[in-house]
Every structure is written in C-alpha cells, then in structure tokens.
C-alpha cells in the first residue's frame, strides 16, 4: 500500500508553518498497512503512530529531507486526512474548523451569542501547545519538540 504525505516546514523564528509543495509517497508493508487501516479513522492516533514509527522517521531522514539536520516539519496530510487546520487556524476560519477544535479541546460555549473571537482565542491558546507536539526536528535522531 502506498501512502501519500504532504508536509509543512516550521520556521521557529517566525513561529509559522510553510507548505512543502511536494507530495511524498511511502510504501507500507502488510503489517504497517493493517495498522494504518485500524488508525485511519482517528486522525491524531494515525499521526502519532507515524511520528513514533522508526520506519517513518528513517524514511524522512533518508528520502525526504536528507542532510537536513535541524529542520523542523510536521505532517500536513496523510492521503486524504488533513492536519492543515492545526497549522493554519485563524479566528476567521470556517465553521467546520472552528467546531472541530471546540470538540477537540472540549470547549463549551456558554451561549449561542458568545463572541466567536473569545472562543477563537481559546482555541488558538490551546493550539499553541498542541502544534508543538506535532513538530518533528531532524537531528541524528528525530525528536519531538515539546
């Protein structure tokens, strides 16, 4: 099974993400494919599985970003599962992204008229920490930034 990845590159100085315009393809073996199929319905679990998998990390270091020690990146999409909302959420983002994060962070609005900007700011505050957990940094070993 082939899995396509889109990545974003993290600029720590500006605390922003830029889209890597390439699409990268990784071939999974039969065991990896079974795990992928079990986790594909739970996007963060799937993300974390790849993040913690030696085969994925080695592929990134050898085939995607060779000789890129210090490079920081995150997964933007795995096949048709997108994570872009984590990197590019704005208070003015669509209702789908807004509602996704209200559920993800267990944010309850006190009333229907509550100012969207207040809830949006709470989402952004929560995201500032969550984004850091999604970033890879290439060193001799790939490490998570937290």
């Amino acid at each position: 099974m082939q899995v396509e990845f889109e990545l974003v590159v993290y600029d720590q100085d500006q605390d922003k993400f830029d889209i890597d315009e390439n699409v990268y393809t990784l071939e999974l073996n039969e065991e990896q494919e079974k795990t992928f199929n079990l986790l594909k319905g739970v996007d963060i679990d799937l993300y974390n599985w790849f993040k913690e998998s030696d085969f994925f990390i080695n592929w990134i270091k050898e085939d995607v970003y060779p000789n890129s020690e210090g490079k920081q990146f995150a997964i933007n999409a795995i096949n048709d599962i997108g994570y872009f909302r984590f990197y590019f959420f704005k208070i003015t983002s669509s209702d789908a992204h807004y509602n996704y994060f209200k559920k993800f962070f267990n944010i309850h609005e006190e009333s229907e008229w509550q100012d969207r900007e207040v809830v949006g700011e709470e989402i952004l505050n929560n995201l500032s920490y969550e984004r850091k957990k999604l970033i890879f940094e290439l060193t001799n070993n790939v490490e998570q930034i937290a």
Side-chain angles (χ1 to χ4, degrees), residues 85 87-94 98 116 120 124 131:
R85 64 181 88 196
Y87 318 116
F88 304 112
F89 178 83
K90 304 217 179 315
I91 292 173
T92 57
S93 291
S94 74
Y98 182 78
R116 181 179 172 124
L124 285 171
R131 287 175 179 148

Side-chain angles (χ1 to χ4, degrees), residues 71-102:
K71 186 176 196 85
Q72 296 178 341
F73 69 95
I75 300 170
N76 190 45
I78 302 170
N79 284 352
D80 59 349
I81 302 167
Y83 300 92
F84 58 91
R85 64 181 88 196
F86 282 89
Y87 318 116
F88 304 112
F89 178 83
K90 304 217 179 315
I91 292 173
T92 57
S93 291
S94 74
D95 287 344
H97 301 302
Y98 182 78
N99 290 328
Y100 175 87
F101 284 121
K102 282 190 345 187

Side-chain angles (χ1 to χ4, degrees), residues 57-144:
I57 293 167
N58 289 332
W59 172 70
I60 292 287
K61 287 171 52 177
E62 294 170 8
D63 297 339
V64 177
Y65 296 132
N67 304 316
S68 295
E69 188 167 328
K71 186 176 196 85
Q72 296 178 341
F73 69 95
I75 300 170
N76 190 45
I78 302 170
N79 284 352
D80 59 349
I81 302 167
Y83 300 92
F84 58 91
R85 64 181 88 196
F86 282 89
Y87 318 116
F88 304 112
F89 178 83
K90 304 217 179 315
I91 292 173
T92 57
S93 291
S94 74
D95 287 344
H97 301 302
Y98 182 78
N99 290 328
Y100 175 87
F101 284 121
K102 282 190 345 187
K103 182 177 178 185
F104 186 83
F105 293 122
N106 199 25
I107 297 171
H108 299 285
E109 292 177 294
E110 294 178 18
S111 67
E112 290 183 22
W113 55 266
Q114 186 172 1
D115 190 350
R116 181 179 172 124
E117 287 187 19
V118 172
V119 175
E121 286 294 328
E122 186 175 350
I123 290 170
L124 285 171
N125 287 337
N126 286 322
L127 269 176
S128 66
Y129 173 74
E130 196 64 33
R131 287 175 179 148
K132 300 281 188 220
K133 293 186 339 187
L134 299 175
I135 297 172
F136 295 80
E137 181 174 349
L138 291 176
T139 60
N140 288 334
N141 299 314
V142 175
E143 298 175 356
Q144 175 181 332

Side-chain angles (χ1 to χ4, degrees), residues 1-6 22-28 59 63-64 79:
M1 169 185 198
Q2 289 189 336
V3 178
E4 291 184 345
F5 291 88
E6 296 173 20
N22 299 305
V23 175
Y24 302 97
T25 304
L26 173 65
E27 184 73 33
L28 300 182
W59 172 70
D63 297 339
V64 177
N79 284 352

